[in-house]
Amino acid sequence: MSAAVICRNVSAGYRQQPVLHDISLTIQAGQMVALLGPNGAGKSTLLRVLTGLQPLTGGEVELFGRDLRQLRATERARLVAVVPQEVTTPMAFTVAELVALGRSVPRGRWAGLAATDRQAVEQALAYTDTLELRDRYYSELSGGEKQRAIIAMALAQEPQLLLLDEPTSHLDINHRLEVLQLLERLNRERGLTVVMTSHDLNLAAEFFPQLALLDHGRIAATGAPAEVLREELLEEVYHCKLAVRRDATGVLMILPTRTGTAPTGKRVHVICGGGSGVEVLRRLCLAGWQVSCGALNQGDTDAQTALALGVTTALEKPFSPLSAGVLATAGQLAQAADVIVVCEVPFGSGNVKNLDVARQAGKPVLLNTRQVAVRDFTPQREVPAMIRTLVERGATSWEHVSDLLIELEKVR
Amino acid sequence: MSHSRRWPIWPLLLAVPIVCAGALLTGAAGLPDWHTPLGRAVLELRLHRILTGLVVGAGLAGAGVVMQALLRNPLAEPYVLGVSSGAGLGAALAVFFGWSAMHLLAVPAAAFVTGIVTLTIVYFLAARGGGASIYGLLLSGIIVSAVLSNLLMLIVSLAPAEGMHSILWWILGNLQLSAQPLLLTGGALVLGALIILTMLGAQLNALTLGREAAHHLGVRTGLMIAGCLALATLLAATAVALAGLIGFVGLIVPHAARAWVGPDHRKLPGVAAIIGGLFLVVCDTVARTIVAPQEIPIGVVTALVGGPFFLALLLRRRKGGWIE
């Protein structure tokens, strides 16, 4: 595999303000790379460096083995094409005329290769599915159609490297997908090297096998999505709380978390499991409660939620009955709390001891009493009796999260 | 959801001999007799004005096409960057200091040189170190223009009565001003510049996407902008040297040309040149016949025809090849 782009110790900047510091980066031919990073991290500047728009203050850039500074404008345009965020023209170009601008500059010594030019334009139109738009005015297209037309113009250059500067930031989710799928296809079928800057971490994780994360003009990390999109790294770079999770199909999801609610200082211990606590945990965290949770098995949906929210949790090994040690931890958490919440959790022999934790803590209990019998999977059918005992001892029953929050206000 | 509509060029080419023949046979003296010396002189005079009209109209319209493309602005015209006020000042100085009496070519030469010098100053003011940006060009053009116009007014106010009349006549424009060798030289310059611009048409197309987008498409933008500005200035300065300051042609004819063939700059310089030439020939015929035997300045006619025409174009600008 040969390198499409090599940056060696590249520095660049605007006047007195350096933007890129000592960037070294190699992009192999045929790769799909997303450049990520917060505003002002230097993503766009790095793209401008690669197209020769931004002069270097240090280091060197090689495109397909050739020094960028030695490339003539026409040679560069045959290697690299660029899709900016937005292209506007005051002229009433039709889509076909616009795409033909990709061949603005004569290709070789003999400028008369009109047939080749026409063929390149037709191919670009076909590839981007813009054939039926060819006679429409570019300025009258929708955002997604415009972006496809611009990509077609770039493809008419027949480049080996396509650079895109946040091409999807003006598009709705449907057209974003459309553009990214087009890039994926171009990469797969034509071996086109694709480098794109993006603010959308989720789409980048889904569509780009290689990521590069920039921060303050330096490379913070490069590699596969799982290596780059790490929670602590992202929090450091983006300066916000966020959670990295995988959904059921293994897709990486990066979710920013809301912060800033004033803490009440009151503690609540939540007994949940199997997803019954997801909403409760989130709502309580947002409301400013100090939340603890457990006991839960690792890998349980609620355990993942608790982890993402930074909730202290008593954790048991996956698929194991709750051991005495973990139950003791849960007991301590429950005793430290001002109130205990029991969610609409199914009980079996593995987790039923959590009800003992609630009973023994000696704190007010808010107990979900919805369809108790249906949720009872213990061999002796002991749950309804345990619930009754708790209620007799003064536990408040609730059925919906909104009721729970109202009850909790009273505790406060 | 309008689809593009473009017209072929041949009707325009066909119109050239028809319009010229019409203009040749129309005039205050009516249909002249070819067999008398007087008739031949009248025809020769009219032919000279027709040819001057074609050259000047082509020059102004071609320059307008380039300015509107480079500045990406529908209101741009050949004079916007100060060529007119510079050339006007040069011509006025030539009249004021009496150079015009010493040599036939003094006024056009002074206008040509000062027009080009003005644009050079504007360009380097705007460039200041790097390449000139569109806004930099417009801004420095407007400032330099304003200063020179006021200097021109100063000279007009100081000039003696007959000098003032000839300066005024020159400012309003007149196709009879040019001498024959000057017309030939000017014609060659205009033709050459238009041919080069046509060859650069594809790159001019790319430049209408903006400087950065054109750079990505492989255009050497700094060189192209400077080169095209130089060619446009040459066209405009030649036109001004031949016929004085004729307004509106460089503004409206490019719009008409785009409405005819679309925004492709591989065709636009040529098409605009033909339309511009025809327009001036028609306007001049009107100027010398409408209140015959009196003659009105051609600049007045182009403005009176051009104003309403431009308004109409603005009202249907979406189809006019320029979209806001």
Short mmCIF file of all heavy atoms in Angstrom, two decimals, chain B residues 111-160:
data_model
loop_
_atom_site.label_atom_id
_atom_site.label_comp_id
_atom_site.label_asym_id
_atom_site.label_seq_id
_atom_site.Cartn_x
_atom_site.Cartn_y
_atom_site.Cartn_z
N ALA B 111 -5.88 59.32 -22.41
CA ALA B 111 -6.95 58.57 -21.76
C ALA B 111 -6.55 57.11 -21.56
O ALA B 111 -6.73 56.54 -20.49
CB ALA B 111 -8.22 58.65 -22.62
N PHE B 112 -5.98 56.53 -22.61
CA PHE B 112 -5.56 55.12 -22.55
C PHE B 112 -4.56 54.89 -21.42
O PHE B 112 -4.72 54.02 -20.58
CB PHE B 112 -4.96 54.74 -23.91
CG PHE B 112 -4.61 53.30 -24.05
CD1 PHE B 112 -5.59 52.37 -24.33
CD2 PHE B 112 -3.30 52.87 -23.89
CE1 PHE B 112 -5.26 51.03 -24.47
CE2 PHE B 112 -2.97 51.54 -24.02
CZ PHE B 112 -3.96 50.61 -24.32
N VAL B 113 -3.54 55.75 -21.40
CA VAL B 113 -2.47 55.58 -20.42
C VAL B 113 -3.00 55.80 -19.00
O VAL B 113 -2.77 54.98 -18.10
CB VAL B 113 -1.30 56.53 -20.72
CG1 VAL B 113 -0.29 56.51 -19.59
CG2 VAL B 113 -0.63 56.12 -22.04
N THR B 114 -3.74 56.88 -18.78
CA THR B 114 -4.20 57.14 -17.40
C THR B 114 -5.20 56.08 -16.95
O THR B 114 -5.22 55.72 -15.78
CB THR B 114 -4.84 58.53 -17.27
OG1 THR B 114 -5.75 58.72 -18.34
CG2 THR B 114 -3.81 59.62 -17.25
N GLY B 115 -6.00 55.57 -17.87
CA GLY B 115 -6.93 54.49 -17.51
C GLY B 115 -6.19 53.27 -16.99
O GLY B 115 -6.52 52.71 -15.95
N ILE B 116 -5.16 52.88 -17.71
CA ILE B 116 -4.40 51.69 -17.31
C ILE B 116 -3.63 51.95 -16.02
O ILE B 116 -3.59 51.10 -15.11
CB ILE B 116 -3.48 51.25 -18.46
CG1 ILE B 116 -4.36 50.57 -19.53
CG2 ILE B 116 -2.41 50.30 -17.97
CD1 ILE B 116 -3.65 50.18 -20.77
N VAL B 117 -3.03 53.16 -15.92
CA VAL B 117 -2.29 53.49 -14.69
C VAL B 117 -3.23 53.45 -13.48
O VAL B 117 -2.90 52.90 -12.42
CB VAL B 117 -1.63 54.88 -14.82
CG1 VAL B 117 -1.14 55.36 -13.46
CG2 VAL B 117 -0.48 54.82 -15.82
N THR B 118 -4.44 53.99 -13.66
CA THR B 118 -5.40 53.98 -12.56
C THR B 118 -5.69 52.57 -12.08
O THR B 118 -5.65 52.27 -10.88
CB THR B 118 -6.73 54.63 -13.00
OG1 THR B 118 -6.46 55.91 -13.53
CG2 THR B 118 -7.68 54.75 -11.84
N LEU B 119 -5.97 51.67 -13.02
CA LEU B 119 -6.31 50.32 -12.59
C LEU B 119 -5.12 49.63 -11.93
O LEU B 119 -5.26 48.86 -10.98
CB LEU B 119 -6.83 49.47 -13.75
CG LEU B 119 -7.62 48.34 -13.10
CD1 LEU B 119 -9.08 48.52 -13.32
CD2 LEU B 119 -7.13 46.99 -13.50
N THR B 120 -3.91 49.93 -12.42
CA THR B 120 -2.72 49.36 -11.79
C THR B 120 -2.63 49.83 -10.34
O THR B 120 -2.36 49.03 -9.44
CB THR B 120 -1.47 49.79 -12.57
OG1 THR B 120 -1.72 49.60 -13.96
CG2 THR B 120 -0.27 48.96 -12.17
N ILE B 121 -2.86 51.12 -10.13
CA ILE B 121 -2.81 51.65 -8.76
C ILE B 121 -3.87 50.95 -7.89
O ILE B 121 -3.59 50.48 -6.79
CB ILE B 121 -3.05 53.18 -8.76
CG1 ILE B 121 -1.86 53.88 -9.43
CG2 ILE B 121 -3.24 53.69 -7.34
CD1 ILE B 121 -2.10 55.36 -9.66
N VAL B 122 -5.09 50.86 -8.44
CA VAL B 122 -6.17 50.21 -7.69
C VAL B 122 -5.78 48.78 -7.32
O VAL B 122 -5.95 48.33 -6.18
CB VAL B 122 -7.48 50.23 -8.51
CG1 VAL B 122 -8.51 49.29 -7.90
CG2 VAL B 122 -8.03 51.63 -8.59
N TYR B 123 -5.22 48.07 -8.30
CA TYR B 123 -4.87 46.67 -8.05
C TYR B 123 -3.82 46.55 -6.95
O TYR B 123 -3.96 45.75 -6.02
CB TYR B 123 -4.35 46.02 -9.33
CG TYR B 123 -4.00 44.56 -9.13
CD1 TYR B 123 -5.00 43.59 -9.16
CD2 TYR B 123 -2.70 44.16 -8.88
CE1 TYR B 123 -4.71 42.26 -8.95
CE2 TYR B 123 -2.39 42.82 -8.67
CZ TYR B 123 -3.40 41.88 -8.72
OH TYR B 123 -3.10 40.56 -8.49
N PHE B 124 -2.79 47.37 -7.02
CA PHE B 124 -1.74 47.22 -6.02
C PHE B 124 -2.17 47.74 -4.65
O PHE B 124 -1.71 47.22 -3.63
CB PHE B 124 -0.44 47.86 -6.51
CG PHE B 124 0.25 46.98 -7.51
CD1 PHE B 124 0.22 47.27 -8.85
CD2 PHE B 124 0.88 45.82 -7.08
CE1 PHE B 124 0.82 46.43 -9.78
CE2 PHE B 124 1.49 44.97 -8.00
CZ PHE B 124 1.46 45.28 -9.36
N LEU B 125 -3.07 48.72 -4.64
CA LEU B 125 -3.64 49.13 -3.35
C LEU B 125 -4.39 47.96 -2.71
O LEU B 125 -4.29 47.70 -1.52
CB LEU B 125 -4.61 50.30 -3.55
CG LEU B 125 -4.02 51.70 -3.57
CD1 LEU B 125 -5.12 52.72 -3.75
CD2 LEU B 125 -3.27 51.96 -2.27
N ALA B 126 -5.16 47.25 -3.56
CA ALA B 126 -5.96 46.15 -3.04
C ALA B 126 -5.09 44.95 -2.68
O ALA B 126 -5.39 44.23 -1.74
CB ALA B 126 -7.01 45.73 -4.07
N ALA B 127 -4.03 44.74 -3.42
CA ALA B 127 -3.22 43.54 -3.21
C ALA B 127 -2.35 43.66 -1.96
O ALA B 127 -2.31 42.75 -1.15
CB ALA B 127 -2.35 43.29 -4.44
N ARG B 128 -1.69 44.80 -1.81
CA ARG B 128 -0.86 45.06 -0.63
C ARG B 128 -0.21 43.80 -0.06
O ARG B 128 -0.59 43.30 0.99
CB ARG B 128 -1.70 45.70 0.47
CG ARG B 128 -1.54 47.18 0.54
CD ARG B 128 -1.91 47.69 1.91
NE ARG B 128 -2.78 46.82 2.63
CZ ARG B 128 -4.10 46.99 2.74
NH1 ARG B 128 -4.67 48.03 2.21
NH2 ARG B 128 -4.83 46.14 3.42
N GLY B 129 0.78 43.27 -0.77
CA GLY B 129 1.47 42.11 -0.22
C GLY B 129 0.98 40.81 -0.81
O GLY B 129 1.68 40.12 -1.50
N GLY B 130 -0.29 40.47 -0.57
CA GLY B 130 -0.82 39.21 -1.09
C GLY B 130 -1.53 39.41 -2.40
O GLY B 130 -1.27 40.36 -3.13
N GLY B 131 -2.47 38.48 -2.71
CA GLY B 131 -3.29 38.65 -3.90
C GLY B 131 -4.44 39.57 -3.57
O GLY B 131 -4.82 39.74 -2.43
N ALA B 132 -5.00 40.21 -4.62
CA ALA B 132 -6.08 41.16 -4.38
C ALA B 132 -7.38 40.41 -4.15
O ALA B 132 -7.73 39.51 -4.89
CB ALA B 132 -6.22 42.08 -5.57
N SER B 133 -8.10 40.77 -3.10
CA SER B 133 -9.40 40.16 -2.87
C SER B 133 -10.47 40.99 -3.58
O SER B 133 -10.24 42.13 -3.93
CB SER B 133 -9.71 40.11 -1.37
OG SER B 133 -10.10 41.37 -0.92
N ILE B 134 -11.63 40.37 -3.77
CA ILE B 134 -12.71 41.04 -4.47
C ILE B 134 -13.10 42.33 -3.75
O ILE B 134 -13.23 43.39 -4.36
CB ILE B 134 -13.93 40.11 -4.56
CG1 ILE B 134 -13.63 38.98 -5.53
CG2 ILE B 134 -15.16 40.88 -5.02
CD1 ILE B 134 -14.65 37.88 -5.50
N TYR B 135 -13.28 42.21 -2.44
CA TYR B 135 -13.72 43.39 -1.70
C TYR B 135 -12.63 44.45 -1.66
O TYR B 135 -12.91 45.64 -1.73
CB TYR B 135 -14.16 42.99 -0.29
CG TYR B 135 -15.39 42.15 -0.32
CD1 TYR B 135 -15.35 40.80 -0.01
CD2 TYR B 135 -16.61 42.70 -0.74
CE1 TYR B 135 -16.49 40.03 -0.09
CE2 TYR B 135 -17.74 41.93 -0.82
CZ TYR B 135 -17.70 40.59 -0.49
OH TYR B 135 -18.81 39.83 -0.59
N GLY B 136 -11.39 44.01 -1.56
CA GLY B 136 -10.29 44.95 -1.59
C GLY B 136 -10.29 45.73 -2.89
O GLY B 136 -10.13 46.97 -2.91
N LEU B 137 -10.48 45.00 -4.01
CA LEU B 137 -10.50 45.64 -5.33
C LEU B 137 -11.63 46.66 -5.41
O LEU B 137 -11.44 47.80 -5.84
CB LEU B 137 -10.69 44.60 -6.43
CG LEU B 137 -9.45 43.86 -6.90
CD1 LEU B 137 -9.83 42.74 -7.86
CD2 LEU B 137 -8.49 44.82 -7.58
N LEU B 138 -12.83 46.23 -5.01
CA LEU B 138 -13.99 47.12 -5.10
C LEU B 138 -13.77 48.38 -4.26
O LEU B 138 -14.01 49.50 -4.70
CB LEU B 138 -15.25 46.40 -4.63
CG LEU B 138 -15.95 45.56 -5.69
CD1 LEU B 138 -17.09 44.75 -5.08
CD2 LEU B 138 -16.49 46.44 -6.80
N LEU B 139 -13.28 48.15 -3.06
CA LEU B 139 -13.10 49.27 -2.13
C LEU B 139 -12.08 50.26 -2.66
O LEU B 139 -12.33 51.47 -2.74
CB LEU B 139 -12.66 48.72 -0.77
CG LEU B 139 -12.93 49.60 0.41
CD1 LEU B 139 -14.43 49.86 0.54
CD2 LEU B 139 -12.40 48.96 1.69
N SER B 140 -10.90 49.74 -3.06
CA SER B 140 -9.88 50.67 -3.52
C SER B 140 -10.31 51.30 -4.84
O SER B 140 -9.99 52.47 -5.11
CB SER B 140 -8.52 49.98 -3.62
OG SER B 140 -8.55 48.98 -4.60
N GLY B 141 -11.06 50.53 -5.67
CA GLY B 141 -11.58 51.08 -6.93
C GLY B 141 -12.49 52.26 -6.68
O GLY B 141 -12.38 53.31 -7.33
N ILE B 142 -13.39 52.10 -5.72
CA ILE B 142 -14.35 53.16 -5.44
C ILE B 142 -13.64 54.40 -4.90
O ILE B 142 -13.92 55.53 -5.30
CB ILE B 142 -15.42 52.66 -4.43
CG1 ILE B 142 -16.35 51.68 -5.14
CG2 ILE B 142 -16.21 53.81 -3.85
CD1 ILE B 142 -17.24 50.90 -4.21
N ILE B 143 -12.66 54.18 -4.02
CA ILE B 143 -11.95 55.32 -3.42
C ILE B 143 -11.16 56.08 -4.49
O ILE B 143 -11.28 57.30 -4.63
CB ILE B 143 -11.02 54.84 -2.29
CG1 ILE B 143 -11.87 54.29 -1.14
CG2 ILE B 143 -10.12 55.96 -1.81
CD1 ILE B 143 -11.07 53.52 -0.12
N VAL B 144 -10.37 55.32 -5.26
CA VAL B 144 -9.55 55.97 -6.29
C VAL B 144 -10.45 56.69 -7.29
O VAL B 144 -10.19 57.82 -7.70
CB VAL B 144 -8.66 54.92 -6.99
CG1 VAL B 144 -7.99 55.52 -8.22
CG2 VAL B 144 -7.61 54.40 -6.02
N SER B 145 -11.55 56.02 -7.68
CA SER B 145 -12.51 56.61 -8.61
C SER B 145 -13.02 57.95 -8.10
O SER B 145 -13.09 58.94 -8.85
CB SER B 145 -13.71 55.68 -8.76
OG SER B 145 -13.70 55.08 -9.99
N ALA B 146 -13.41 57.96 -6.83
CA ALA B 146 -14.00 59.16 -6.26
C ALA B 146 -12.99 60.32 -6.29
O ALA B 146 -13.33 61.44 -6.68
CB ALA B 146 -14.45 58.89 -4.82
N VAL B 147 -11.75 60.00 -5.92
CA VAL B 147 -10.73 61.05 -5.92
C VAL B 147 -10.52 61.60 -7.33
O VAL B 147 -10.52 62.81 -7.55
CB VAL B 147 -9.40 60.49 -5.35
CG1 VAL B 147 -8.28 61.50 -5.54
CG2 VAL B 147 -9.58 60.12 -3.88
N LEU B 148 -10.39 60.68 -8.30
CA LEU B 148 -10.11 61.12 -9.68
C LEU B 148 -11.28 61.89 -10.27
O LEU B 148 -11.08 62.87 -10.99
CB LEU B 148 -9.76 59.91 -10.55
CG LEU B 148 -8.46 59.19 -10.18
CD1 LEU B 148 -8.17 58.08 -11.16
CD2 LEU B 148 -7.29 60.16 -10.11
N SER B 149 -12.51 61.46 -9.97
CA SER B 149 -13.67 62.18 -10.50
C SER B 149 -13.68 63.61 -10.03
O SER B 149 -14.01 64.53 -10.78
CB SER B 149 -14.98 61.52 -10.06
OG SER B 149 -14.96 60.17 -10.33
N ASN B 150 -13.30 63.80 -8.77
CA ASN B 150 -13.31 65.15 -8.25
C ASN B 150 -12.19 65.99 -8.84
O ASN B 150 -12.37 67.19 -9.08
CB ASN B 150 -13.26 65.14 -6.73
CG ASN B 150 -14.61 64.76 -6.15
OD1 ASN B 150 -15.56 65.50 -6.29
ND2 ASN B 150 -14.70 63.57 -5.57
N LEU B 151 -11.05 65.36 -9.12
CA LEU B 151 -9.98 66.07 -9.83
C LEU B 151 -10.47 66.48 -11.21
O LEU B 151 -10.20 67.58 -11.68
CB LEU B 151 -8.74 65.18 -9.94
CG LEU B 151 -7.90 65.05 -8.66
CD1 LEU B 151 -6.73 64.11 -8.91
CD2 LEU B 151 -7.39 66.42 -8.22
N LEU B 152 -11.22 65.56 -11.86
CA LEU B 152 -11.77 65.85 -13.18
C LEU B 152 -12.69 67.06 -13.11
O LEU B 152 -12.62 67.98 -13.94
CB LEU B 152 -12.52 64.62 -13.70
CG LEU B 152 -13.25 64.75 -15.04
CD1 LEU B 152 -12.25 65.04 -16.16
CD2 LEU B 152 -14.02 63.50 -15.36
N MET B 153 -13.54 67.09 -12.09
CA MET B 153 -14.46 68.22 -11.91
C MET B 153 -13.67 69.52 -11.72
O MET B 153 -14.03 70.56 -12.24
CB MET B 153 -15.36 67.99 -10.69
CG MET B 153 -16.43 66.94 -10.89
SD MET B 153 -17.43 67.31 -12.34
CE MET B 153 -17.40 65.75 -13.17
N LEU B 154 -12.57 69.42 -10.97
CA LEU B 154 -11.73 70.58 -10.74
C LEU B 154 -11.22 71.15 -12.06
O LEU B 154 -11.28 72.35 -12.32
CB LEU B 154 -10.55 70.19 -9.82
CG LEU B 154 -9.53 71.28 -9.54
CD1 LEU B 154 -10.14 72.33 -8.62
CD2 LEU B 154 -8.27 70.70 -8.92
N ILE B 155 -10.75 70.22 -12.92
CA ILE B 155 -10.19 70.67 -14.20
C ILE B 155 -11.29 71.26 -15.08
O ILE B 155 -11.09 72.30 -15.72
CB ILE B 155 -9.49 69.49 -14.90
CG1 ILE B 155 -8.24 69.15 -14.10
CG2 ILE B 155 -9.16 69.83 -16.34
CD1 ILE B 155 -7.37 68.13 -14.71
N VAL B 156 -12.47 70.59 -15.06
CA VAL B 156 -13.59 71.13 -15.85
C VAL B 156 -13.92 72.54 -15.40
O VAL B 156 -14.16 73.44 -16.22
CB VAL B 156 -14.83 70.21 -15.72
CG1 VAL B 156 -16.06 70.88 -16.32
CG2 VAL B 156 -14.56 68.88 -16.42
N SER B 157 -13.90 72.77 -14.10
CA SER B 157 -14.28 74.08 -13.58
C SER B 157 -13.23 75.14 -13.92
O SER B 157 -13.54 76.32 -14.04
CB SER B 157 -14.49 74.02 -12.07
OG SER B 157 -13.25 73.83 -11.42
N LEU B 158 -11.97 74.72 -14.08
CA LEU B 158 -10.91 75.67 -14.38
C LEU B 158 -10.75 75.90 -15.88
O LEU B 158 -10.16 76.90 -16.29
CB LEU B 158 -9.57 75.17 -13.80
CG LEU B 158 -9.48 75.10 -12.27
CD1 LEU B 158 -8.12 74.53 -11.87
CD2 LEU B 158 -9.68 76.47 -11.66
N ALA B 159 -11.26 74.96 -16.69
CA ALA B 159 -11.01 75.01 -18.13
C ALA B 159 -11.74 76.19 -18.78
O ALA B 159 -12.81 76.58 -18.33
CB ALA B 159 -11.45 73.71 -18.77
N PRO B 160 -11.14 76.78 -19.84
CA PRO B 160 -11.84 77.82 -20.59
C PRO B 160 -13.04 77.22 -21.32
O PRO B 160 -13.14 76.00 -21.49
CB PRO B 160 -10.78 78.29 -21.59
CG PRO B 160 -9.82 77.16 -21.70
CD PRO B 160 -9.81 76.48 -20.36
#
